Amino acid sequence: MTSPSTGRSPKGTGTITVPPAARHSRIVGVGGYRPKRVVPNSELVDRINSSDEWIRERSGITARHVAEPDESVVDMAEAATRQALDHAGITAEQLDFILVATVTHPFQTPAAAPELAARLGSTAAATDISAACAGYCYGVAMASDMVRGGSADHVLVVGVEKLSDFTDYDDRGTAFIFGDGAGAAVIGPSDTPGIGPTVWGSDGTQRDVISQVQPWTELRQPWSEPTNDPRLWPAIGMAGPSVFRWAVWGMAPIAQQALDRAGVTADDLDAFIPHQANVRIIDAMAKQLKLPADVPIARDITTTANTSAASVPLATARMLADGEAPSGGLALQIGFGAGLVYAAQVVVLP
Ligand code: UT7
């Protein structure tokens, strides 16, 4: 064919060589890291005129892990990754791509992923994903497609948050909700399907219901004096009841679609691992999905709180470690949060 702009024809002497297409993918290993310091509700309630009972009843949370001041997103990501690599039985050199899902890495640039790669002695392609509490499930979808498409053999997906850096502990609506931690998964090739089709999407018209309360640029313009005004710190704000309604009524149908697209039913599941946002949201979703009573449900939120991108992989690692969910079993996982964004898929547990 002749190009209309140049009148030239393609040489036609070369063809692109690509890796084999359309192989399957699966999660081959997971790992989790929770900071040592445990902060019970009682330590937070005075500042927000609340109570341990109210927090337990409205959210299911009794405590959260909080990182040390000098413990970074990359430190936590590294700890979870080393466990996931061990579980997968591969070395860091075998990783072709590293995806870090986070909204609390405190550098606009560079991303956390290349720094994590360097820690591991890896020169894999590396980038971050900003999809808040859906970040891990977004990452699993992308990693699965990379493996299936042949652009990578092994992809590391990390969900990690140091939300304590971005929580306003005087805000009644969020002070008790968040926790810190990291979860990681290695996605690799498989002879049989191990990651079902992802059902995902966004609703940016609701960007304001969970958002940094200020853009970074409010803090200091390049031409202005720095400010120490604490009200300008860009903590994460949330219109809790709006998000709650969206999660309860909007997300169960998405989870059901993930089951349908994978060709399985709730009866086939060995675990339900939703984002750990609120135990009442988790229970409402399970009810709408008509989950049989024998399907274990992740309730890691009780002692880990809401760790955003880390919540699904952390809950997965715990369920496997505790023998609550079986290796080789089917799990339905769903992440949802700021954006608003969401993603759900059925996976075979490693
Ligand atoms: O991870 C991303 C996705 N995030 C989520 O999915 C979170 C979704 N939202 C939630 O989980 C819930 O909205 C919260 C747990 C954040 C709040 O629970 P809620 O049942 O929605 O509380 P509310 O904001 O509707 O407040 C109910 C009552 C109010 O009092 P009145 O007006 O009924 O007298 C509030 O003033 O509780 C009061 N209240 C509190 N009381 C004690 C609000 N916050 C607190 C508090 N302690 N911290």
Side-chain angles (χ1 to χ4, degrees):
M1 195 208 287
T2 306
S3 154
S5 56
T6 63
R8 292 169 63 128
S9 301
K11 284 183 181 170
T13 53
T15 52
I16 296 171
T17 305
V18 296
R23 58 181 172 175
H24 299 297
S25 60
R26 69 183 176 98
I27 300 175
V28 291
V30 291
Y33 172 77
R34 292 173 178 80
K36 278 190 198 65
R37 189 172 155 226
V38 173
V39 175
N41 292 340
S42 57
E43 270 187 47
L44 302 175
V45 292
D46 288 350
R47 277 176 75 170
I48 53 172
N49 184 25
S50 187
S51 67
D52 179 38
E53 296 71 36
W54 189 92
I55 296 171
R56 282 174 196 251
E57 193 190 304
R58 304 309 290 171
S59 70
I61 298 167
T62 64
R64 71 283 298 139
H65 293 255
V66 172
E68 296 303 319
D70 63 351
E71 195 170 28
S72 72
V73 156
V74 176
D75 292 335
M76 293 191 282
E78 182 185 355
T81 297
R82 293 199 183 279
Q83 265 191 27
L85 289 171
D86 272 0
H87 189 202
I90 68 160
T91 62
E93 294 83 70
Q94 289 172 266
L95 294 172
D96 301 305
F97 211 110
I98 296 177
L99 287 170
V100 174
T102 186
V103 290
T104 49
H105 179 53
F107 290 84
Q108 193 82 37
T109 194
E115 194 179 334
L116 172 62
R119 293 266 193 103
L120 300 168
S122 159
T123 54
T127 192
D128 290 0
I129 300 173
S130 178
C133 313
Y136 171 76
C137 294
Y138 266 56
V140 168
M142 294 176 193
S144 174
D145 287 350
M146 286 182 203
V147 170
R148 280 158 50 87
S151 59
D153 283 335
H154 290 98
V155 182
L156 173 70
V157 181
V158 183
V160 54
E161 303 293 0
K162 189 178 179 188
L163 282 152
S164 57
D165 277 348
F166 295 93
T167 298
D168 176 353
Y169 287 103
D170 294 310
D171 175 3
R172 285 184 112 197
T174 56
F176 62 93
I177 280 274
F178 297 127
D180 298 338
V186 177
I187 316 298
S190 171
D191 294 335
T192 52
I195 298 173
T198 298
V199 178
W200 47 357
S202 69
D203 178 6
T205 65
Q206 297 202 65
R207 56 105 43 216
D208 292 340
V209 300
I210 316 177
S211 164
Q212 238 179 253
V213 295
Q214 302 280 351
W216 292 107
T217 46
E218 294 281 317
L219 218 58
R220 185 190 181 201
Q221 296 285 350
W223 55 84
S224 69
E225 290 299 313
T227 171
N228 290 321
D229 184 343
R231 288 169 304 176
L232 290 182
W233 181 247
I236 295 170
M238 181 170 71
S242 303
V243 183
F244 188 92
R245 282 192 294 276
W246 171 75
V248 165
W249 300 111
M251 291 301 101
I254 299 299
Q256 182 60 52
Q257 283 175 41
L259 289 174
D260 297 343
R261 299 255 341 254
V264 299
T265 70
D267 294 318
D268 299 317
L269 292 175
D270 296 287
F272 176 46
I273 314 180
H275 169 48
Q276 304 289 292
N278 184 319
V279 91
R280 291 188 293 138
I281 296 175
I282 296 169
D283 290 343
M285 286 175 76
K287 197 169 162 193
Q288 287 182 61
L289 288 166
K290 298 189 173 57
L291 217 60
D294 67 341
V295 178
I297 300 173
R299 289 204 175 80
D300 198 34
I301 185 164
T302 314
T303 53
T304 310
N306 177 345
T307 56
S308 190
S311 89
V312 170
L314 265 176
T316 307
R318 171 169 278 173
M319 287 181 102
L320 286 168
D322 291 354
E324 206 184 335
S327 170
L330 288 183
L332 169 62
Q333 57 184 29
I334 179 166
F336 49 87
L340 294 171
V341 291
Y342 56 86
Q345 64 257 123
V346 177
V347 300
V348 175
L349 292 166

